[in-house]
Amino acid sequence: MTLDPYAARPAWRDYGRSDLPIPLAAALSAFADHGYHGTSVREIAGRAGLSVPGLYHHYPSKQSMLQGLLEMSMDDLLWRSEQSIAAAGPEPIDRLDAVVTTLLEFHMYRREQAFIGSSEIRSLDADYRPVYTAKRRRQQQMVDEIVVDGAQRGVFVTGDPYDTGRAITTMCVGVSIWYRPDGRLSPDELVDRWGRIARDTVGYVGDSTRPEITSPQIVRHRDQGDAP
């Protein structure tokens, strides 16, 4: 899976400035630094340049800020995944490349949001948690459907498509923990290399009409910002 650095990027690959409202951007920053339970409303208000009553005018509680932040983040990821898969066409390998690219780029370019989205599920109120986890299941279902389709067509050689799909998603989600912009691999290089790993994971057998994928050089050292 080789990305053309000169090709115009579609909307689902466009990661400009985050459009989070100022209170949610402040909450994200504070949660990333101190965790949900270690962050006070006063801390969020200070980062947002608001008084505590002014912050409550926008969001009535710290919990509502966490919910709003996770809701916007997950909706963004779902939209990008749906768009990328639809644009990829009917072939399972093209759809796999698309959704893996989406997951990897989201967890690089929106890594704080992605990290909080995974680590603070435990902090969600019980009545909202099922709403949020349903969105995460929908994201996983997109990956599963592609892997199952490829296995049924015989282009993916895996006897456990659902476990394989979960392994690929887990691999991509984990990027938000260790990725750093100044690391050894650029975003496009990381997408290309880990996209190949995803293909290997599903056991993609290829076909005669597609170009060969050259195995990347094995790197035996670890720089700051690389995966553990």
Side-chain angles (χ1 to χ4, degrees), residues 158-195:
T158 173
D160 301 291
Y162 290 101
D163 287 341
T164 300
R166 184 166 296 279
I168 289 171
T169 300
T170 301
M171 174 185 78
C172 296
V173 169
V175 168
S176 66
I177 299 173
W178 56 262
Y179 172 75
R180 296 294 181 271
D182 59 352
R184 173 171 46 84
L185 298 177
S186 71
D188 284 351
E189 289 170 334
L190 191 148
V191 168
D192 182 56
R193 182 166 297 181
W194 285 53

PDB file of all heavy atoms in Angstrom, residues 158-195:
ATOM      1  N   THR A 158      -7.584 -16.206   6.358  1.00  0.00           N
ATOM      2  CA  THR A 158      -7.651 -16.208   7.818  1.00  0.00           C
ATOM      3  C   THR A 158      -8.838 -17.048   8.237  1.00  0.00           C
ATOM      4  O   THR A 158      -9.936 -16.912   7.693  1.00  0.00           O
ATOM      5  CB  THR A 158      -7.789 -14.779   8.387  1.00  0.00           C
ATOM      6  OG1 THR A 158      -8.025 -14.861   9.808  1.00  0.00           O
ATOM      7  CG2 THR A 158      -8.932 -14.011   7.748  1.00  0.00           C
ATOM      8  N   GLY A 159      -8.608 -17.911   9.197  1.00  0.00           N
ATOM      9  CA  GLY A 159      -9.694 -18.755   9.682  1.00  0.00           C
ATOM     10  C   GLY A 159     -10.509 -18.094  10.774  1.00  0.00           C
ATOM     11  O   GLY A 159     -11.536 -18.624  11.186  1.00  0.00           O
ATOM     12  N   ASP A 160     -10.063 -16.923  11.266  1.00  0.00           N
ATOM     13  CA  ASP A 160     -10.747 -16.229  12.353  1.00  0.00           C
ATOM     14  C   ASP A 160     -10.917 -14.759  11.979  1.00  0.00           C
ATOM     15  O   ASP A 160     -10.252 -13.874  12.528  1.00  0.00           O
ATOM     16  CB  ASP A 160      -9.949 -16.343  13.654  1.00  0.00           C
ATOM     17  CG  ASP A 160      -9.734 -17.790  14.075  1.00  0.00           C
ATOM     18  OD1 ASP A 160     -10.728 -18.431  14.457  1.00  0.00           O
ATOM     19  OD2 ASP A 160      -8.588 -18.264  14.001  1.00  0.00           O
ATOM     20  N   PRO A 161     -11.813 -14.465  11.026  1.00  0.00           N
ATOM     21  CA  PRO A 161     -11.915 -13.088  10.518  1.00  0.00           C
ATOM     22  C   PRO A 161     -12.295 -12.066  11.577  1.00  0.00           C
ATOM     23  O   PRO A 161     -11.810 -10.928  11.546  1.00  0.00           O
ATOM     24  CB  PRO A 161     -12.965 -13.176   9.413  1.00  0.00           C
ATOM     25  CG  PRO A 161     -13.697 -14.462   9.652  1.00  0.00           C
ATOM     26  CD  PRO A 161     -12.719 -15.379  10.293  1.00  0.00           C
ATOM     27  N   TYR A 162     -13.137 -12.452  12.536  1.00  0.00           N
ATOM     28  CA  TYR A 162     -13.543 -11.474  13.553  1.00  0.00           C
ATOM     29  C   TYR A 162     -12.388 -11.155  14.504  1.00  0.00           C
ATOM     30  O   TYR A 162     -12.160  -9.985  14.851  1.00  0.00           O
ATOM     31  CB  TYR A 162     -14.757 -11.982  14.330  1.00  0.00           C
ATOM     32  CG  TYR A 162     -16.016 -12.000  13.488  1.00  0.00           C
ATOM     33  CD1 TYR A 162     -16.489 -13.182  12.934  1.00  0.00           C
ATOM     34  CD2 TYR A 162     -16.725 -10.822  13.234  1.00  0.00           C
ATOM     35  CE1 TYR A 162     -17.635 -13.199  12.142  1.00  0.00           C
ATOM     36  CE2 TYR A 162     -17.870 -10.825  12.447  1.00  0.00           C
ATOM     37  CZ  TYR A 162     -18.319 -12.023  11.903  1.00  0.00           C
ATOM     38  OH  TYR A 162     -19.449 -12.024  11.121  1.00  0.00           O
ATOM     39  N   ASP A 163     -11.649 -12.175  14.923  1.00  0.00           N
ATOM     40  CA  ASP A 163     -10.478 -11.927  15.765  1.00  0.00           C
ATOM     41  C   ASP A 163      -9.416 -11.154  14.987  1.00  0.00           C
ATOM     42  O   ASP A 163      -8.723 -10.288  15.546  1.00  0.00           O
ATOM     43  CB  ASP A 163      -9.899 -13.244  16.281  1.00  0.00           C
ATOM     44  CG  ASP A 163     -10.763 -13.880  17.355  1.00  0.00           C
ATOM     45  OD1 ASP A 163     -11.594 -13.167  17.945  1.00  0.00           O
ATOM     46  OD2 ASP A 163     -10.606 -15.093  17.608  1.00  0.00           O
ATOM     47  N   THR A 164      -9.292 -11.456  13.706  1.00  0.00           N
ATOM     48  CA  THR A 164      -8.330 -10.742  12.870  1.00  0.00           C
ATOM     49  C   THR A 164      -8.706  -9.274  12.749  1.00  0.00           C
ATOM     50  O   THR A 164      -7.851  -8.382  12.859  1.00  0.00           O
ATOM     51  CB  THR A 164      -8.257 -11.386  11.474  1.00  0.00           C
ATOM     52  OG1 THR A 164      -7.840 -12.742  11.594  1.00  0.00           O
ATOM     53  CG2 THR A 164      -7.280 -10.638  10.579  1.00  0.00           C
ATOM     54  N   GLY A 165      -9.996  -9.015  12.547  1.00  0.00           N
ATOM     55  CA  GLY A 165     -10.453  -7.632  12.467  1.00  0.00           C
ATOM     56  C   GLY A 165     -10.196  -6.873  13.752  1.00  0.00           C
ATOM     57  O   GLY A 165      -9.762  -5.713  13.734  1.00  0.00           O
ATOM     58  N   ARG A 166     -10.419  -7.512  14.870  1.00  0.00           N
ATOM     59  CA  ARG A 166     -10.176  -6.851  16.155  1.00  0.00           C
ATOM     60  C   ARG A 166      -8.681  -6.611  16.359  1.00  0.00           C
ATOM     61  O   ARG A 166      -8.286  -5.566  16.894  1.00  0.00           O
ATOM     62  CB  ARG A 166     -10.742  -7.692  17.301  1.00  0.00           C
ATOM     63  CG  ARG A 166     -10.616  -7.023  18.665  1.00  0.00           C
ATOM     64  CD  ARG A 166     -11.483  -7.717  19.686  1.00  0.00           C
ATOM     65  NE  ARG A 166     -12.894  -7.610  19.360  1.00  0.00           N
ATOM     66  CZ  ARG A 166     -13.642  -6.548  19.623  1.00  0.00           C
ATOM     67  NH1 ARG A 166     -13.108  -5.487  20.203  1.00  0.00           N
ATOM     68  NH2 ARG A 166     -14.917  -6.533  19.308  1.00  0.00           N
ATOM     69  N   ALA A 167      -7.851  -7.543  15.924  1.00  0.00           N
ATOM     70  CA  ALA A 167      -6.408  -7.364  16.058  1.00  0.00           C
ATOM     71  C   ALA A 167      -5.935  -6.158  15.247  1.00  0.00           C
ATOM     72  O   ALA A 167      -5.092  -5.370  15.704  1.00  0.00           O
ATOM     73  CB  ALA A 167      -5.680  -8.632  15.610  1.00  0.00           C
ATOM     74  N   ILE A 168      -6.476  -5.983  14.050  1.00  0.00           N
ATOM     75  CA  ILE A 168      -6.085  -4.855  13.203  1.00  0.00           C
ATOM     76  C   ILE A 168      -6.520  -3.536  13.836  1.00  0.00           C
ATOM     77  O   ILE A 168      -5.748  -2.572  13.898  1.00  0.00           O
ATOM     78  CB  ILE A 168      -6.684  -5.019  11.793  1.00  0.00           C
ATOM     79  CG1 ILE A 168      -5.980  -6.158  11.061  1.00  0.00           C
ATOM     80  CG2 ILE A 168      -6.584  -3.713  10.995  1.00  0.00           C
ATOM     81  CD1 ILE A 168      -6.628  -6.535   9.749  1.00  0.00           C
ATOM     82  N   THR A 169      -7.745  -3.483  14.338  1.00  0.00           N
ATOM     83  CA  THR A 169      -8.222  -2.261  14.985  1.00  0.00           C
ATOM     84  C   THR A 169      -7.380  -1.937  16.210  1.00  0.00           C
ATOM     85  O   THR A 169      -6.985  -0.779  16.421  1.00  0.00           O
ATOM     86  CB  THR A 169      -9.691  -2.406  15.386  1.00  0.00           C
ATOM     87  OG1 THR A 169     -10.479  -2.659  14.217  1.00  0.00           O
ATOM     88  CG2 THR A 169     -10.200  -1.144  16.062  1.00  0.00           C
ATOM     89  N   THR A 170      -7.087  -2.933  17.020  1.00  0.00           N
ATOM     90  CA  THR A 170      -6.280  -2.717  18.220  1.00  0.00           C
ATOM     91  C   THR A 170      -4.891  -2.188  17.861  1.00  0.00           C
ATOM     92  O   THR A 170      -4.364  -1.286  18.524  1.00  0.00           O
ATOM     93  CB  THR A 170      -6.158  -4.027  19.015  1.00  0.00           C
ATOM     94  OG1 THR A 170      -7.468  -4.486  19.377  1.00  0.00           O
ATOM     95  CG2 THR A 170      -5.333  -3.835  20.278  1.00  0.00           C
ATOM     96  N   MET A 171      -4.308  -2.727  16.806  1.00  0.00           N
ATOM     97  CA  MET A 171      -3.008  -2.255  16.342  1.00  0.00           C
ATOM     98  C   MET A 171      -3.068  -0.773  15.976  1.00  0.00           C
ATOM     99  O   MET A 171      -2.186   0.012  16.348  1.00  0.00           O
ATOM    100  CB  MET A 171      -2.575  -3.074  15.124  1.00  0.00           C
ATOM    101  CG  MET A 171      -1.303  -2.598  14.458  1.00  0.00           C
ATOM    102  SD  MET A 171      -0.921  -3.511  12.927  1.00  0.00           S
ATOM    103  CE  MET A 171      -2.088  -2.724  11.782  1.00  0.00           C
ATOM    104  N   CYS A 172      -4.107  -0.383  15.265  1.00  0.00           N
ATOM    105  CA  CYS A 172      -4.235   1.013  14.820  1.00  0.00           C
ATOM    106  C   CYS A 172      -4.536   1.948  15.984  1.00  0.00           C
ATOM    107  O   CYS A 172      -3.974   3.047  16.071  1.00  0.00           O
ATOM    108  CB  CYS A 172      -5.332   1.124  13.762  1.00  0.00           C
ATOM    109  SG  CYS A 172      -4.986   0.231  12.222  1.00  0.00           S
ATOM    110  N   VAL A 173      -5.415   1.529  16.882  1.00  0.00           N
ATOM    111  CA  VAL A 173      -5.771   2.358  18.030  1.00  0.00           C
ATOM    112  C   VAL A 173      -4.549   2.611  18.908  1.00  0.00           C
ATOM    113  O   VAL A 173      -4.363   3.706  19.454  1.00  0.00           O
ATOM    114  CB  VAL A 173      -6.898   1.688  18.845  1.00  0.00           C
ATOM    115  CG1 VAL A 173      -7.094   2.383  20.182  1.00  0.00           C
ATOM    116  CG2 VAL A 173      -8.208   1.701  18.046  1.00  0.00           C
ATOM    117  N   GLY A 174      -3.685   1.615  19.031  1.00  0.00           N
ATOM    118  CA  GLY A 174      -2.506   1.747  19.874  1.00  0.00           C
ATOM    119  C   GLY A 174      -1.538   2.828  19.422  1.00  0.00           C
ATOM    120  O   GLY A 174      -0.697   3.285  20.205  1.00  0.00           O
ATOM    121  N   VAL A 175      -1.651   3.279  18.175  1.00  0.00           N
ATOM    122  CA  VAL A 175      -0.773   4.324  17.663  1.00  0.00           C
ATOM    123  C   VAL A 175      -0.880   5.595  18.504  1.00  0.00           C
ATOM    124  O   VAL A 175       0.100   6.316  18.701  1.00  0.00           O
ATOM    125  CB  VAL A 175      -1.091   4.608  16.182  1.00  0.00           C
ATOM    126  CG1 VAL A 175      -0.407   5.877  15.691  1.00  0.00           C
ATOM    127  CG2 VAL A 175      -0.659   3.418  15.318  1.00  0.00           C
ATOM    128  N   SER A 176      -2.079   5.869  19.026  1.00  0.00           N
ATOM    129  CA  SER A 176      -2.276   7.105  19.796  1.00  0.00           C
ATOM    130  C   SER A 176      -1.449   7.124  21.078  1.00  0.00           C
ATOM    131  O   SER A 176      -1.209   8.194  21.645  1.00  0.00           O
ATOM    132  CB  SER A 176      -3.758   7.295  20.145  1.00  0.00           C
ATOM    133  OG  SER A 176      -4.207   6.286  21.043  1.00  0.00           O
ATOM    134  N   ILE A 177      -0.987   5.974  21.529  1.00  0.00           N
ATOM    135  CA  ILE A 177      -0.205   5.902  22.766  1.00  0.00           C
ATOM    136  C   ILE A 177       1.245   6.310  22.540  1.00  0.00           C
ATOM    137  O   ILE A 177       1.835   7.005  23.373  1.00  0.00           O
ATOM    138  CB  ILE A 177      -0.268   4.477  23.352  1.00  0.00           C
ATOM    139  CG1 ILE A 177      -1.720   4.105  23.695  1.00  0.00           C
ATOM    140  CG2 ILE A 177       0.646   4.348  24.569  1.00  0.00           C
ATOM    141  CD1 ILE A 177      -1.888   2.661  24.129  1.00  0.00           C
ATOM    142  N   TRP A 178       1.809   5.899  21.393  1.00  0.00           N
ATOM    143  CA  TRP A 178       3.253   6.056  21.221  1.00  0.00           C
ATOM    144  C   TRP A 178       3.675   6.995  20.103  1.00  0.00           C
ATOM    145  O   TRP A 178       4.820   7.446  20.061  1.00  0.00           O
ATOM    146  CB  TRP A 178       3.916   4.696  20.996  1.00  0.00           C
ATOM    147  CG  TRP A 178       3.366   3.921  19.836  1.00  0.00           C
ATOM    148  CD1 TRP A 178       2.430   2.924  19.884  1.00  0.00           C
ATOM    149  CD2 TRP A 178       3.716   4.054  18.447  1.00  0.00           C
ATOM    150  NE1 TRP A 178       2.173   2.439  18.631  1.00  0.00           N
ATOM    151  CE2 TRP A 178       2.951   3.109  17.729  1.00  0.00           C
ATOM    152  CE3 TRP A 178       4.607   4.873  17.751  1.00  0.00           C
ATOM    153  CZ2 TRP A 178       3.039   2.962  16.339  1.00  0.00           C
ATOM    154  CZ3 TRP A 178       4.697   4.741  16.369  1.00  0.00           C
ATOM    155  CH2 TRP A 178       3.918   3.796  15.674  1.00  0.00           C
ATOM    156  N   TYR A 179       2.782   7.324  19.170  1.00  0.00           N
ATOM    157  CA  TYR A 179       3.187   8.139  18.021  1.00  0.00           C
ATOM    158  C   TYR A 179       3.596   9.549  18.450  1.00  0.00           C
ATOM    159  O   TYR A 179       2.942  10.162  19.295  1.00  0.00           O
ATOM    160  CB  TYR A 179       2.054   8.233  17.001  1.00  0.00           C
ATOM    161  CG  TYR A 179       2.355   9.223  15.899  1.00  0.00           C
ATOM    162  CD1 TYR A 179       3.254   8.910  14.880  1.00  0.00           C
ATOM    163  CD2 TYR A 179       1.776  10.495  15.906  1.00  0.00           C
ATOM    164  CE1 TYR A 179       3.556   9.828  13.888  1.00  0.00           C
ATOM    165  CE2 TYR A 179       2.081  11.421  14.914  1.00  0.00           C
ATOM    166  CZ  TYR A 179       2.969  11.075  13.911  1.00  0.00           C
ATOM    167  OH  TYR A 179       3.272  11.988  12.940  1.00  0.00           O
ATOM    168  N   ARG A 180       4.682  10.026  17.858  1.00  0.00           N
ATOM    169  CA  ARG A 180       5.121  11.406  18.038  1.00  0.00           C
ATOM    170  C   ARG A 180       5.482  11.981  16.668  1.00  0.00           C
ATOM    171  O   ARG A 180       6.096  11.287  15.848  1.00  0.00           O
ATOM    172  CB  ARG A 180       6.349  11.493  18.959  1.00  0.00           C
ATOM    173  CG  ARG A 180       6.089  11.044  20.382  1.00  0.00           C
ATOM    174  CD  ARG A 180       5.124  11.972  21.114  1.00  0.00           C
ATOM    175  NE  ARG A 180       4.896  11.546  22.486  1.00  0.00           N
ATOM    176  CZ  ARG A 180       3.953  10.695  22.853  1.00  0.00           C
ATOM    177  NH1 ARG A 180       3.159  10.147  21.934  1.00  0.00           N
ATOM    178  NH2 ARG A 180       3.787  10.374  24.116  1.00  0.00           N
ATOM    179  N   PRO A 181       5.107  13.243  16.401  1.00  0.00           N
ATOM    180  CA  PRO A 181       5.390  13.834  15.083  1.00  0.00           C
ATOM    181  C   PRO A 181       6.865  13.840  14.715  1.00  0.00           C
ATOM    182  O   PRO A 181       7.207  13.830  13.530  1.00  0.00           O
ATOM    183  CB  PRO A 181       4.846  15.266  15.227  1.00  0.00           C
ATOM    184  CG  PRO A 181       3.800  15.168  16.291  1.00  0.00           C
ATOM    185  CD  PRO A 181       4.316  14.140  17.251  1.00  0.00           C
ATOM    186  N   ASP A 182       7.756  13.859  15.716  1.00  0.00           N
ATOM    187  CA  ASP A 182       9.186  13.889  15.427  1.00  0.00           C
ATOM    188  C   ASP A 182       9.810  12.500  15.480  1.00  0.00           C
ATOM    189  O   ASP A 182      11.032  12.357  15.582  1.00  0.00           O
ATOM    190  CB  ASP A 182       9.913  14.821  16.401  1.00  0.00           C
ATOM    191  CG  ASP A 182       9.736  14.402  17.861  1.00  0.00           C
ATOM    192  OD1 ASP A 182       8.926  13.488  18.129  1.00  0.00           O
ATOM    193  OD2 ASP A 182      10.397  14.994  18.735  1.00  0.00           O
ATOM    194  N   GLY A 183       8.996  11.458  15.385  1.00  0.00           N
ATOM    195  CA  GLY A 183       9.511  10.095  15.413  1.00  0.00           C
ATOM    196  C   GLY A 183      10.188   9.701  14.117  1.00  0.00           C
ATOM    197  O   GLY A 183      10.309  10.498  13.174  1.00  0.00           O
ATOM    198  N   ARG A 184      10.645   8.471  14.051  1.00  0.00           N
ATOM    199  CA  ARG A 184      11.440   7.995  12.913  1.00  0.00           C
ATOM    200  C   ARG A 184      10.656   7.982  11.612  1.00  0.00           C
ATOM    201  O   ARG A 184      11.213   8.259  10.538  1.00  0.00           O
ATOM    202  CB  ARG A 184      11.958   6.581  13.226  1.00  0.00           C
ATOM    203  CG  ARG A 184      12.666   5.892  12.079  1.00  0.00           C
ATOM    204  CD  ARG A 184      13.333   4.609  12.550  1.00  0.00           C
ATOM    205  NE  ARG A 184      12.473   3.807  13.389  1.00  0.00           N
ATOM    206  CZ  ARG A 184      11.567   2.946  12.920  1.00  0.00           C
ATOM    207  NH1 ARG A 184      11.386   2.829  11.623  1.00  0.00           N
ATOM    208  NH2 ARG A 184      10.845   2.223  13.743  1.00  0.00           N
ATOM    209  N   LEU A 185       9.361   7.648  11.660  1.00  0.00           N
ATOM    210  CA  LEU A 185       8.552   7.531  10.457  1.00  0.00           C
ATOM    211  C   LEU A 185       7.625   8.734  10.305  1.00  0.00           C
ATOM    212  O   LEU A 185       7.010   9.180  11.276  1.00  0.00           O
ATOM    213  CB  LEU A 185       7.702   6.253  10.506  1.00  0.00           C
ATOM    214  CG  LEU A 185       8.446   4.920  10.574  1.00  0.00           C
ATOM    215  CD1 LEU A 185       7.458   3.773  10.686  1.00  0.00           C
ATOM    216  CD2 LEU A 185       9.348   4.731   9.360  1.00  0.00           C
ATOM    217  N   SER A 186       7.523   9.235   9.091  1.00  0.00           N
ATOM    218  CA  SER A 186       6.525  10.261   8.799  1.00  0.00           C
ATOM    219  C   SER A 186       5.145   9.604   8.814  1.00  0.00           C
ATOM    220  O   SER A 186       5.025   8.372   8.737  1.00  0.00           O
ATOM    221  CB  SER A 186       6.782  10.872   7.425  1.00  0.00           C
ATOM    222  OG  SER A 186       6.459   9.941   6.398  1.00  0.00           O
ATOM    223  N   PRO A 187       4.065  10.395   8.891  1.00  0.00           N
ATOM    224  CA  PRO A 187       2.728   9.792   8.857  1.00  0.00           C
ATOM    225  C   PRO A 187       2.498   8.906   7.638  1.00  0.00           C
ATOM    226  O   PRO A 187       1.957   7.801   7.759  1.00  0.00           O
ATOM    227  CB  PRO A 187       1.803  11.008   8.860  1.00  0.00           C
ATOM    228  CG  PRO A 187       2.565  12.053   9.613  1.00  0.00           C
ATOM    229  CD  PRO A 187       4.000  11.846   9.188  1.00  0.00           C
ATOM    230  N   ASP A 188       2.893   9.352   6.443  1.00  0.00           N
ATOM    231  CA  ASP A 188       2.684   8.538   5.247  1.00  0.00           C
ATOM    232  C   ASP A 188       3.522   7.267   5.278  1.00  0.00           C
ATOM    233  O   ASP A 188       3.065   6.200   4.843  1.00  0.00           O
ATOM    234  CB  ASP A 188       3.012   9.345   3.990  1.00  0.00           C
ATOM    235  CG  ASP A 188       1.918  10.344   3.645  1.00  0.00           C
ATOM    236  OD1 ASP A 188       0.842  10.296   4.270  1.00  0.00           O
ATOM    237  OD2 ASP A 188       2.143  11.188   2.749  1.00  0.00           O
ATOM    238  N   GLU A 189       4.737   7.357   5.788  1.00  0.00           N
ATOM    239  CA  GLU A 189       5.575   6.161   5.894  1.00  0.00           C
ATOM    240  C   GLU A 189       4.973   5.176   6.888  1.00  0.00           C
ATOM    241  O   GLU A 189       4.996   3.951   6.658  1.00  0.00           O
ATOM    242  CB  GLU A 189       6.987   6.547   6.330  1.00  0.00           C
ATOM    243  CG  GLU A 189       7.789   7.269   5.258  1.00  0.00           C
ATOM    244  CD  GLU A 189       9.088   7.843   5.793  1.00  0.00           C
ATOM    245  OE1 GLU A 189       9.175   8.130   7.005  1.00  0.00           O
ATOM    246  OE2 GLU A 189      10.018   7.998   4.982  1.00  0.00           O
ATOM    247  N   LEU A 190       4.432   5.692   7.978  1.00  0.00           N
ATOM    248  CA  LEU A 190       3.834   4.809   8.968  1.00  0.00           C
ATOM    249  C   LEU A 190       2.590   4.123   8.394  1.00  0.00           C
ATOM    250  O   LEU A 190       2.394   2.918   8.571  1.00  0.00           O
ATOM    251  CB  LEU A 190       3.471   5.596  10.225  1.00  0.00           C
ATOM    252  CG  LEU A 190       3.074   4.769  11.455  1.00  0.00           C
ATOM    253  CD1 LEU A 190       3.492   5.483  12.724  1.00  0.00           C
ATOM    254  CD2 LEU A 190       1.572   4.498  11.480  1.00  0.00           C
ATOM    255  N   VAL A 191       1.753   4.891   7.689  1.00  0.00           N
ATOM    256  CA  VAL A 191       0.565   4.306   7.077  1.00  0.00           C
ATOM    257  C   VAL A 191       0.952   3.228   6.071  1.00  0.00           C
ATOM    258  O   VAL A 191       0.341   2.152   6.018  1.00  0.00           O
ATOM    259  CB  VAL A 191      -0.299   5.397   6.402  1.00  0.00           C
ATOM    260  CG1 VAL A 191      -1.372   4.777   5.516  1.00  0.00           C
ATOM    261  CG2 VAL A 191      -0.951   6.281   7.463  1.00  0.00           C
ATOM    262  N   ASP A 192       1.973   3.493   5.278  1.00  0.00           N
ATOM    263  CA  ASP A 192       2.411   2.517   4.283  1.00  0.00           C
ATOM    264  C   ASP A 192       2.926   1.252   4.951  1.00  0.00           C
ATOM    265  O   ASP A 192       2.548   0.134   4.592  1.00  0.00           O
ATOM    266  CB  ASP A 192       3.506   3.132   3.409  1.00  0.00           C
ATOM    267  CG  ASP A 192       3.965   2.173   2.314  1.00  0.00           C
ATOM    268  OD1 ASP A 192       3.108   1.716   1.539  1.00  0.00           O
ATOM    269  OD2 ASP A 192       5.164   1.869   2.261  1.00  0.00           O
ATOM    270  N   ARG A 193       3.771   1.405   5.970  1.00  0.00           N
ATOM    271  CA  ARG A 193       4.376   0.235   6.621  1.00  0.00           C
ATOM    272  C   ARG A 193       3.342  -0.565   7.407  1.00  0.00           C
ATOM    273  O   ARG A 193       3.269  -1.783   7.307  1.00  0.00           O
ATOM    274  CB  ARG A 193       5.521   0.674   7.531  1.00  0.00           C
ATOM    275  CG  ARG A 193       6.236  -0.483   8.203  1.00  0.00           C
ATOM    276  CD  ARG A 193       7.546  -0.034   8.813  1.00  0.00           C
ATOM    277  NE  ARG A 193       8.472   0.456   7.786  1.00  0.00           N
ATOM    278  CZ  ARG A 193       9.694   0.901   8.038  1.00  0.00           C
ATOM    279  NH1 ARG A 193      10.147   0.934   9.278  1.00  0.00           N
ATOM    280  NH2 ARG A 193      10.471   1.322   7.056  1.00  0.00           N
ATOM    281  N   TRP A 194       2.518   0.127   8.186  1.00  0.00           N
ATOM    282  CA  TRP A 194       1.538  -0.597   8.989  1.00  0.00           C
ATOM    283  C   TRP A 194       0.383  -1.112   8.132  1.00  0.00           C
ATOM    284  O   TRP A 194      -0.281  -2.079   8.494  1.00  0.00           O
ATOM    285  CB  TRP A 194       1.055   0.284  10.147  1.00  0.00           C
ATOM    286  CG  TRP A 194       2.095   0.397  11.224  1.00  0.00           C
ATOM    287  CD1 TRP A 194       3.398   0.780  11.082  1.00  0.00           C
ATOM    288  CD2 TRP A 194       1.927   0.098  12.610  1.00  0.00           C
ATOM    289  NE1 TRP A 194       4.061   0.746  12.298  1.00  0.00           N
ATOM    290  CE2 TRP A 194       3.180   0.335  13.251  1.00  0.00           C
ATOM    291  CE3 TRP A 194       0.852  -0.328  13.374  1.00  0.00           C
ATOM    292  CZ2 TRP A 194       3.372   0.145  14.609  1.00  0.00           C
ATOM    293  CZ3 TRP A 194       1.034  -0.509  14.746  1.00  0.00           C
ATOM    294  CH2 TRP A 194       2.284  -0.278  15.346  1.00  0.00           C
ATOM    295  N   GLY A 195       0.155  -0.461   6.993  1.00  0.00           N
ATOM    296  CA  GLY A 195      -0.821  -1.002   6.055  1.00  0.00           C
ATOM    297  C   GLY A 195      -0.385  -2.352   5.515  1.00  0.00           C
ATOM    298  O   GLY A 195      -1.199  -3.266   5.326  1.00  0.00           O
TER     299      GLY A 195
END
